[in-house]
Amino acid sequence: MQIIQNRRSFLTSAAAAGVFGFLGTTEQALAEPGPETTSVRLPRWIGGAYCWAGLYLAGELLRAEGFTDVRYVQGDPKVDQSVWIAHGETDFSVNYAPVHVSSIEAGIPIKVLGGLHSGCLELIANDSVDSIKDLRGKRVGVFDLDSAGYVFVALMAGYVGLDPVNDIDWIIVPNDETMANSFVEGKFDAFLGQPPVVQVLRPKKIGHTILNSTIDPPWSQHFCCMISVTEDYVNRYPVATKRVLRAIFKSADLCASDPALVARQLVDRGFVPSYEIALQTLNDIRYDRWHDYDAEASLRFYALRMQETGMIRSSPKEIIANGTDWRFVNELRRELKT
């Protein structure tokens, strides 16, 4: 586990200072009790995770919320970040909705608090595949059969009537290989792309998109990435939890309103290496959706799909009852209504 404490000033330009001044502590926040703790640990994926912009920019806003110890933690890059929060390495997590469902099913003590954004996934294929139904008998690349890539493609296949287990040839890509390179080399016919892979392949016209979660229903009608917190943190520090969530949502609003500024800040703060990819990712993703998409509906949708395909045994009702806490997002929607 690596902890990164960014000591450089976040406000590196007059424009950034003005924007973040405008996004400062709200009247509601000033009227609330101070946070029960001034420390919080958030996940960071060094050199990547372009779609975590809403989380990364929350750091400076958290200082306005009364936090003095804001740490971005890099866990073991060989495992999903759901393992980091399960092991107590981070207090919060931003992850795909189905990953949260799997964690709740496994009894991991987390609470999903709300959705962050929609639309960061594209199913990319070669010329032999024109639609998801065409995946019958085709090869799909995944890192393993527990990965988010497998889960999403299996759910998409099941949704159109395919049997994910028997109709698709799943090709396991070794950890030391990149999914994009393996696709270019012809090792499989399709794979699920996420930032920055999609943004790199698109201008090179490598493969084509057969499903875009930004625009293709029903996937576009739900959050792809959602925010969770450990049960221990939310139970001990409910005011702090709300303040963290408020900072993330205000950061998400900035991602939607000024993607160029956000992309520059992500690079200047060392969270991602490429301004161009960061800007394209921010333009592709819908960070404004937290205001009007129903987080519970999204989690229910994925839990039902996962139950139908045998990935989980719990019902959507049980998943929601055991692993969610919507009180903060409901308050913040009223408070930060635009």
Side-chain angles (χ1 to χ4, degrees), residues 67-134:
F67 290 84
T68 59
D69 180 21
V70 179
R71 284 173 282 170
Y72 284 91
V73 178
Q74 165 75 63
D76 183 353
K78 295 181 181 179
V79 299
D80 185 80
Q81 52 136 344
S82 60
V83 178
W84 307 352
I85 193 170
H87 289 171
E89 297 174 11
T90 64
D91 301 309
F92 286 78
S93 172
V94 173
N95 215 325
Y96 299 116
V99 176
H100 288 309
V101 171
S102 295
S103 293
I104 296 168
E105 164 85 353
I108 305 300
I110 61 169
K111 294 292 184 182
V112 178
L113 301 176
L116 181 58
H117 61 71
S118 66
C120 65
L121 300 170
E122 293 186 27
L123 189 53
I124 300 171
N126 60 26
D127 291 340
S128 70
V129 181
D130 290 324
S131 69
I132 296 177
K133 288 186 177 181
D134 292 336

Side-chain angles (χ1 to χ4, degrees), residues 20-47:
F20 281 92
F22 176 75
L23 289 176
T25 309
T26 63
E27 292 184 7
Q28 180 66 28
L30 292 172
E32 292 172 353
E36 304 91 343
T37 178
T38 58
S39 298
V40 64
R41 298 168 302 165
L42 306 172
R44 166 177 176 156
W45 201 285
I46 295 176

Side-chain angles (χ1 to χ4, degrees), residues 44 81 88 91 130 154 221 251 279 289 308-309:
R44 166 177 176 156
Q81 52 136 344
D91 301 309
D130 290 324
Q221 298 167 330
S251 179
L279 181 60
R289 293 303 195 193
E308 289 172 344
T309 56

Side-chain angles (χ1 to χ4, degrees), residues 268-286:
D268 288 348
R269 297 186 72 195
F271 284 114
V272 299
S274 171
Y275 170 82
E276 290 75 17
I277 292 177
L279 181 60
Q280 185 61 59
T281 302
L282 287 160
N283 285 327
D284 289 340
I285 290 175
R286 294 300 302 270

Side-chain angles (χ1 to χ4, degrees), residues 212-270:
N212 185 328
S213 65
T214 302
I215 59 177
D216 294 326
W219 319 100
S220 61
Q221 298 167 330
H222 296 283
F223 290 110
C224 61
C225 291
M226 305 185 75
I227 306 161
S228 67
V229 64
T230 66
E231 280 190 1
D232 180 68
Y233 195 95
V234 69
N235 289 338
R236 294 173 63 189
Y237 313 128
V239 175
T241 298
K242 180 182 175 181
R243 286 176 176 262
V244 171
L245 196 60
R246 176 162 48 219
I248 294 173
F249 284 155
K250 290 168 73 174
S251 179
D253 285 344
L254 184 58
C255 290
S257 65
D258 199 339
L261 172 63
V262 171
R264 176 51 56 198
Q265 294 300 318
L266 291 176
V267 175
D268 288 348
R269 297 186 72 195

